[in-house]
Amino acid sequence: MNRLYRFVLLALAISVVALFCPCAAHAAVSISTLLTGEAYCDCGDSRNLAMPADINSKSLKSTARNIVRSVRTPDMDDYELALALNDWLMENTSYKSHTTGAMNVLANGYASCSGYANAYCALLNAADIPYKRVVGKVFRFTHVWNLVKLGGNWYHVDVRLNDSSQSHLYFGLSNEAISVNHSAFGKRDCVSYEYNYGYRSGMYDEAIAYIESQIEENFSKNIPAFAINLRDSNCPEPLTNEIMARSIAGVLSNRRYAFDGEEHRIRVLFVDGGIAINVDIPFVRITSITLDKHNVKLSMPDSSSFPITYQLSASITPSNASNPVLFWKSRNEKVASVDQNGLVTIKRYGNAKIQALSEDYSKKIDTCKFTVRKK
């Protein structure tokens, strides 16, 4: 029983390591190495976090240039070249703990988490593509990956996890998208989606078309806010992956759609199990109020003529103000009162100012002075 119990514990331990540690997930972890403690997520070792000393060596630069020449074609732009270099590492590198030196990775084909990032730095440097190294966390484990500048904007690229997942899921991610698994990476200016692999490759086209059809249907019914359930069986596959769904939401947030006769940007937010969409209608304040009369003089024969009414009207600028409602008030209720439709009731001789004020906090006002005298 003791041996069986121990075996079950070891099996559970291996499952936990493979599930939560991206470095160990790709490695071949045997029971013997787990027992001796030789297999673990080595990026947690502070010795492996710094840029290795060989990053500026002549031999590394020469090796990196040769690799760049081998994958580059005359018509490649920076995005295509950065992707090709990511793919070269995926095809020619296997995980091996404590292997951080870029030259060692490129020459021998083995890398730890930081080794992938360091080797990618060397290749991007040889390709004249701006890059940075990022030290953060994946789940609770310290991890190293890259930032790449494409089209003037920075994007997250995690070659190690691309290799582990055998995909391009982690190529060209924004802060919003990569934060599904990654954290503690500081303030990074990664908010663009133009060079996200899924978007650039057309992988997201069906999902984007599906959401846009929902937008058009709801907006045509004057529904400015609604949610899409991503667990719906009709949802295209990319929307079932949270990283992809966040990227797709970011793409759509930069577009404009017709609503209520005008084009508006929309807000698209990923929420647990769904995407919330609403029209981003800017608040338009009143800039001026103009009454049809500003000075009204009345002559009444005697007090038996009271009360009498007088209709005022007001116009506002701009006509599409978000809150066009005006508040009417009298500055002398004893002489004249006013209702909220601008109808003035004159009660006696005297003077009274009737005002129309904006209710949208723009503090706009216009005034009409009433002077009532005996004939």
Side-chain angles (χ1 to χ4, degrees), residues 211 214-228 257-262 264-269 275-282:
I211 294 176
Q214 300 291 309
I215 291 171
E216 291 172 7
E217 180 181 344
N218 281 276
F219 284 7
S220 68
K221 299 174 183 177
N222 277 339
I223 301 174
F226 62 97
I228 295 175
Y257 297 87
F259 178 80
D260 198 23
E262 296 184 12
H264 298 283
R265 283 187 61 185
I266 62 171
R267 296 179 186 230
V268 184
L269 299 174
I275 287 181
I277 298 169
N278 68 283
V279 182
D280 187 12
I281 302 177

Side-chain angles (χ1 to χ4, degrees), residues 52 54-55 57 59-60 63-64 67 88-89 92-94 96-112 115-116 118-119 122:
D54 70 345
I55 194 68
S57 71
S59 59
L60 174 60
T63 301
I67 293 171
W88 188 94
L89 282 171
N92 294 279
T93 311
S94 298
K96 186 177 182 181
S97 62
H98 304 297
T99 311
T100 62
M103 185 64 192
N104 195 6
V105 174
L106 298 181
N108 300 319
Y110 295 100
S112 64
Y116 278 90
N118 295 336

